[in-house]
Amino acid sequence: MTDIPFTPTRSPRPKPDDASLAFGKVLTDHMFMMNYEEGRGWHDPRVVPYAPLSMDPATSVLHYGQAVFDGLKAFRGEDGQIRLFRAERHAQRLNKSCRALCIPEMDPGLIRESFEAVVAADHDWVPRAPGTSLYIRPTVVATDVMLGVHPSHSYIYFVICSPVGAYYREGVKPIRILASDNHVRAVQGGLGEAKTAANYAASLSAQKEAAEAGYTQVLWLDGVERKYIDEVGTMNIMMQIGDEVITPPLAGTILDGVTRNSALALMRDWGLRVSERKISIDEVMQAGRDGTLREVWGTGTAAVVSPVGELGYKGDVIRIGNGHTGLLTQRLYDAIMGIQYGRAPDPHGWMSVVKRPGAGNA
Ligand SMILES: *Cc1c(COP(=O)(O)O)cnc(C)c1O
């Protein structure tokens, strides 16, 4: 951490039990803040006590959704060190999302420092129980007060953190997914590659329909032909058919997941045959029927991997792996978690240690 000013809170909040942690309900004591004004650029980075934001009702983000975010985690290793997973790649992606929404980019080094500074301030909030972590949520929103539609001239960037519980408290459990043929998430030329608020608002009604039909998540098909697989819920999707691992290519509608990228790198290290190619829902359903569809899983920061046990499409249902997590899915889960908690070597240099004042950082 360099010289980011730090104002410690005078009223620390009670910390929840590691055992009672859910996702994103409890926020920590501090947040990072930075401002942008046209002509002045990004300025005034600081770590301050967590507090509500006050906004004029005419603030543009509240009306037109010029907002981007990202999500990454800090892990407490068994050696006591706190490490961030692929902070640099998350910083780059936040800037990529900014570009898509006409938000001025930030210095990527400063974005990384913003993660480190807030985690260092709240290092006591990084939970200790196995499988727990500190979720970090960087967010940029437009703050011009005006009702005209145009890119804002002012923004705030903030980073808040939430201790989160183990995603799979009762072991990794396969989900049921429903391919939607009436809703789409993104189209070429749209915002699918950006982590922006609108994409999540647009997903809610499809998610609600899937839940009402007894499914856990929506499987998104492409927005033009409704034929090719894009993503699952807010995760990237992968599958193994025969000896080929397949994931849809980053061709304009799919979010470039950091977990996706990490899983692909590991599977290539392991010598597996990995294809980033278009795959149609018909090909998947056929592979499910003829027995060559071995595993399907989602990837994302929250769960790492999420095995798919059942896939519904136009009234047909295929079962995958008899309700069990596949071997490759489990191997990826163990490998990524091993690196994140500092139990396994980190050959790609994905982890970075967060330096804490007076904590004996070796
Ligand atoms: C965040 C997100 C992902 C997963 O990205 P990670 O970097 O692996 O967390 C995938 N798809 C969508 C739509 C997302 O928002």
Side-chain angles (χ1 to χ4, degrees):
M1 206 193 340
T2 51
D3 44 5
I4 295 173
F6 173 37
T7 311
T9 182
R10 289 208 209 131
S11 40
R13 304 162 171 221
K15 294 188 183 61
D17 266 1
D18 285 4
S20 69
L21 293 171
F23 182 82
K25 295 210 166 138
V26 177
L27 287 309
T28 63
D29 281 329
H30 298 93
M31 60 189 195
F32 177 93
M33 284 286 285
M34 182 160 72
N35 300 72
Y36 178 92
E37 253 87 53
E38 209 162 86
R40 210 176 152 193
W42 284 107
H43 61 273
D44 207 8
R46 60 206 185 271
V47 174
V48 293
Y50 189 96
L53 304 170
S54 154
M55 280 191 180
D56 189 291
T59 301
S60 63
V61 66
L62 302 176
H63 301 268
Y64 308 122
Q66 200 190 0
V68 299
F69 67 95
D70 216 282
L72 70 159
K73 282 176 168 177
F75 302 87
R76 189 184 295 278
E78 274 150 30
D79 57 359
Q81 299 272 35
I82 295 170
R83 295 178 180 84
L84 303 180
F85 182 66
R86 306 202 71 179
E88 192 174 331
R89 200 168 170 98
H90 283 283
Q92 284 164 357
R93 188 172 68 189
L94 184 62
N95 268 338
K96 183 176 177 185
S97 298
C98 284
R99 283 199 293 281
L101 274 285
C102 290
I103 296 173
E105 288 177 52
M106 294 173 278
D107 169 6
L110 186 54
I111 299 177
R112 284 194 62 168
E113 279 185 48
S114 71
F115 304 155
E116 286 161 17
V118 71
V119 174
D122 282 333
H123 64 86
D124 249 0
W125 282 88
V126 182
R128 288 172 167 79
T132 61
S133 57
L134 187 72
Y135 183 77
I136 305 164
R137 168 52 61 86
T139 307
V140 187
V141 300
T143 54
D144 273 9
V145 175
M146 52 109 198
L147 293 179
V149 180
H150 59 73
S152 183
H153 306 286
S154 61
Y155 299 86
I156 54 172
Y157 168 53
F158 56 88
V159 185
I160 56 175
C161 299
S162 172
V164 296
Y167 196 87
Y168 297 109
R169 229 170 290 215
E170 284 127 39
V172 181
K173 220 166 86 201
I175 59 171
R176 310 175 64 220
I177 65 174
L178 178 65
S180 179
D181 51 5
N182 58 334
H183 296 278
V184 297
R185 191 191 88 88
V187 290
Q188 209 98 36
L191 291 173
E193 290 181 310
K195 256 182 143 60
T196 181
N199 287 342
Y200 304 86
S203 73
L204 298 176
S205 66
Q207 174 60 35
K208 188 162 165 243
E209 267 182 35
E212 280 163 5
Y215 288 86
T216 333
Q217 301 265 328
V218 186
L219 179 65
W220 300 103
L221 302 181
D222 80 90
V224 177
E225 296 178 75
R226 315 265 167 112
K227 181 175 166 190
Y228 295 99
I229 287 177
D230 264 1
E231 299 202 57
V232 59
T234 57
M235 290 183 289
N236 295 114
I237 190 163
M238 299 183 172
M239 66 202 75
Q240 191 178 30
I241 299 180
D243 70 352
E244 183 187 19
V245 176
I246 304 157
T247 196
L250 302 174
T253 60
I254 288 172
L255 194 98
D256 184 358
V258 174
T259 319
R260 174 189 183 279
N261 179 274
S262 309
L264 292 178
L266 289 174
M267 290 188 292
R268 286 178 175 133
D269 288 350
W270 297 338
L272 297 178
R273 194 172 138 226
V274 178
S275 310
E276 293 176 67
R277 66 163 172 93
K278 282 167 91 167
I279 179 156
S280 68
I281 182 73
D282 292 333
E283 183 181 347
V284 179
M285 297 302 284
Q286 185 54 43
R289 282 188 291 265
D290 70 22
T292 53
L293 181 63
R294 291 161 67 181
E295 301 182 31
V296 178
W297 66 94
T299 66
T301 292
V304 184
V305 293
S306 190
V308 175
E310 201 175 305
L311 164 60
Y313 176 58
K314 287 194 195 291
D316 280 350
V317 177
I318 52 170
R319 305 248 308 147
I320 306 151
N322 283 319
H324 299 295
T325 302
L327 287 176
L328 181 54
T329 307
Q330 186 71 47
R331 186 177 179 197
L332 282 168
Y333 182 72
D334 293 339
I336 294 174
M337 297 266 284
I339 294 170
Q340 290 175 333
Y341 288 92
R343 293 190 295 260
D346 175 22
H348 295 276
W350 287 338
M351 307 308 293
S352 52
V353 170
V354 176
K355 298 200 169 53
R356 286 164 285 157
N361 297 287

